[in-house]
Structures are given as structure tokens and as C-alpha cells.
Amino acid sequence: MTAASLKTPAELAELFAFYASAGVDEALEDAPVDRFAEARPRQAERAPAPVAPARESRAEQRAPEPGLNRMPERLAAAPGLDVSRVPDAPARPAAATVPDEGQIMLARQLAASASTLDELRQHMAAFDGCNLKFTAKNLVFADGNPSGDLMLVGEAPGRDEDLEGLPFVGRSGRLLDLMLAAIGLDRTSAYIANVIPWRPPGNRTPTPHETEICRPFIERQIELVNPKVLVNLGGPSAKTLLNTTEGILRLRGNWRVHTTASGTAIPAMPTLHPAYLLRTPAHKKLAWRDFLEVKAKLRGLA
Ligand code: URA
């Protein structure tokens, strides 16, 4: 059964409901489309000697090509940004792959120049250097109270988070809320963000390069919030922010330190991601132990 073989709106609605319940949330065409062929005449007009990349993802194809090699004008005017310190990205044909080293440097510069969370959010919203932005519906910046003592950082938004523009609002978010409630906290007393602020298409794992591009933003976000305690939800958050390659089952339950760019040492507790706990409920007891550690640490620091 395909959408084309269905006749009535009711039949189509039934099919789409089936897709949604099966987790299918990306619409792809049956036959591959050569987007390079579509782009070729336009590139030929612009660039005398275009070099086609070996492979390009759908996300990259959708990214606005001319913005890749230079800083967007609205970013050049961003408050607090010292444009002279932003290195020029190497000149390339418009269709070259994103992200690149120049965009990592730009992300670093932008993040460092933000002196408030609002400024950081503005810089991130205007930043075009991460391909994930072009398949996501919303920037998922944060939720909760930035003046709270606790900050939790997950990996990347999923479908529900992308639609709402808020972290942890789907099934794993509901479990996270229960875990917080169990230690007497909620989103009025804790602050929640992700390493990656844009949903990877189809919830795929972010690439290491995408993570490096987004890393300066989340590091600056932590620095600006300056929580008393950080919780890393899952392996990707722990590995990125605690600079380790150890697996989460080894890391969890042991205090680590996240050191900000300005040298502040923040106690960090790596724990299991709520999505993992939904799949592996037998491990909830481990996360419970970790959250009790967090509660005790917050008490001790009060
Ligand atoms: N998983 C995450 O890591 N972050 C979210 O915001 C939602 C699910």
C-alpha cells in the first residue's frame, strides 16, 4: 500500500497515522532525485570552475549555499562580536560540504562574544554554519530556570522538542520531569539544554563534526548559567562536556568536573539518558542513585 494507491482523504489519513505511530516522520520520494543536476546550471553561472563534492547529505543540499564561506551580515553586526578576530574560511566553491573548520572558529567567536543568555540565543539563531539547522524546524535553546542551582544537558532534540522549540518535552522529557520531581526539583528550579540545539534529521546521531560546531555554544551556555551542579544526561553529553571517551555505564554515578573557558570548575554527574531508561527500565535504579547523589551535593553546596 502506498500513498499513491489510496483514493480518499480518510484512507490517506489512516496511512499517515500508521506512519506516525511507527515513528516515520520524514517524507522521502520513492525515486532518487539528482539535486546536483538541478543546481548545476545555477552554479555554472556563478562559479567558473565548480567542484562537485563526493557526497552531500540532504541537509547540506538544503543549506543556503552562498552563506557557507562567509559570515552572514546579521552576524557581522552581532553585539559584542569582534569581527576582526573571526578567521576567514578558505575560499571554496559554493557547493562544498558544511560544516567546516571556519564555521567552528566562527561558532567559538560568537559564543565567546555573548555576554548574556539572550545574546547567545540570538547568535545561535542567526548562525548558519551547522547543517542541522536547515532540516530542523526550531532552535531548541533551553527550558527552565537559568538562576537554578542545577543544569542538565542532554544530547539533541527529538521530534517533539523540534516542534515545540523546547528541550525534553516528549516521552523522555516526561520521565526526566519525574526524575527531577523525585529529588524535589522541576523546571522552575532547574535549567535544561542540549549539546546540539537543532534536531538531527530522523533523530540520527549527530556527527563528531556537528558536535564540534555546536560545542562552543553549549559550553558558553553552561558558563553563563554557572550552575552549582551539572548533570550530563547520557553518553554524548558526558563525553562532549567532560572530555572523555569512557562509556556512560562506566562514567555514571561518579563525580567529574566540567571546567569552563574562564576556569570555573563545576561538579558534574554523568547519568543515564531518560530515553535509554525508557528502553531499559531495569537501569532506572542506577539513575535514581545518581539523582540522590545530585540532591546530596546540592544540599551540601547550599
Ligand atoms: N533527548 C535529548 O537528548 N534531548 C532532548 O531534548 C530530547 C530527547
Side-chain angles (χ1 to χ4, degrees):
M1 180 169 69
T2 65
S5 68
L6 296 173
K7 296 283 176 286
T8 67
E11 284 174 330
L12 275 172
E14 204 180 318
L15 177 65
F16 289 136
F18 165 75
Y19 283 152
S21 64
V24 179
D25 56 9
E26 290 287 315
L28 300 175
E29 295 178 50
D30 288 338
V33 178
D34 184 355
R35 303 280 179 209
F36 293 123
E38 290 171 10
R40 236 166 254 136
R42 284 186 289 121
Q43 280 177 17
E45 282 164 27
R46 270 200 308 268
V51 178
R55 285 184 70 158
E56 239 186 350
S57 71
R58 286 184 339 112
E60 287 153 0
Q61 290 162 28
R62 280 188 228 160
E65 295 164 7
L68 299 182
N69 288 330
R70 57 186 165 76
M71 187 169 5
E73 276 157 29
R74 63 189 184 286
L75 278 184
L81 176 62
D82 177 0
V83 178
S84 64
R85 294 186 53 216
V86 178
D88 285 337
R92 288 169 314 176
T97 54
V98 272
D100 65 21
E101 293 304 320
Q103 298 301 338
I104 295 178
M105 299 287 272
L106 176 55
R108 280 192 197 133
Q109 178 68 23
L110 283 170
S113 70
S115 50
T116 64
L117 287 169
D118 267 355
E119 246 174 60
L120 183 66
R121 182 202 284 263
Q122 281 171 36
H123 289 190
M124 288 164 70
F127 178 67
D128 282 348
C130 182
N131 48 307
L132 296 176
K133 177 179 182 179
F134 301 102
T135 45
K137 292 190 171 50
N138 281 302
L139 168 73
V140 177
F141 183 71
D143 195 16
N145 184 354
S147 310
D149 289 343
L150 179 66
M151 176 166 179
L152 303 105
V153 181
E155 181 184 13
R159 179 175 171 276
D160 296 324
E161 289 75 21
D162 185 34
L163 291 174
E164 288 199 34
L166 290 171
F168 285 99
V169 290
R171 271 189 81 212
S172 37
R174 285 193 287 280
L175 177 56
L176 180 61
D177 286 340
L178 292 175
M179 293 159 76
L180 283 172
I183 56 165
L185 297 175
D186 59 20
R187 294 182 192 226
T188 65
S189 49
Y191 185 78
I192 307 173
N194 282 305
V195 170
I196 308 278
W198 294 284
R199 181 201 182 196
N203 293 348
R204 69 162 169 75
T205 302
T207 67
H209 211 138
E210 287 161 354
T211 302
E212 283 315 299
I213 288 227
C214 297
R215 174 202 286 276
F217 294 126
I218 183 62
E219 287 184 345
R220 182 69 180 142
Q221 205 168 351
I222 295 169
E223 192 172 26
L224 288 169
V225 172
N226 193 22
K228 285 190 176 149
V229 171
L230 181 70
V231 167
N232 300 98
L233 297 166
S237 167
K239 286 178 188 167
T240 307
L241 298 172
L242 305 177
N243 290 318
T244 174
T245 53
E246 274 181 82
I248 189 65
L249 286 170
R250 275 179 162 276
L251 283 170
R252 63 140 291 276
N254 298 300
W255 285 105
R256 300 273 170 144
V257 171
H258 171 81
T259 307
T260 67
S262 54
T264 304
I266 301 173
M269 173 57 73
T271 191
L272 302 170
H273 193 287
Y276 169 85
L277 295 174
L278 288 171
R279 294 191 303 272
T280 321
H283 280 179
K284 281 184 184 172
K285 58 177 180 283
L286 301 178
W288 171 233
R289 276 182 219 154
D290 302 344
F291 268 59
L292 287 179
E293 279 285 334
V294 169
K295 184 181 182 181
K297 177 73 92 184
L298 287 170
R299 281 235 170 103
L301 293 171

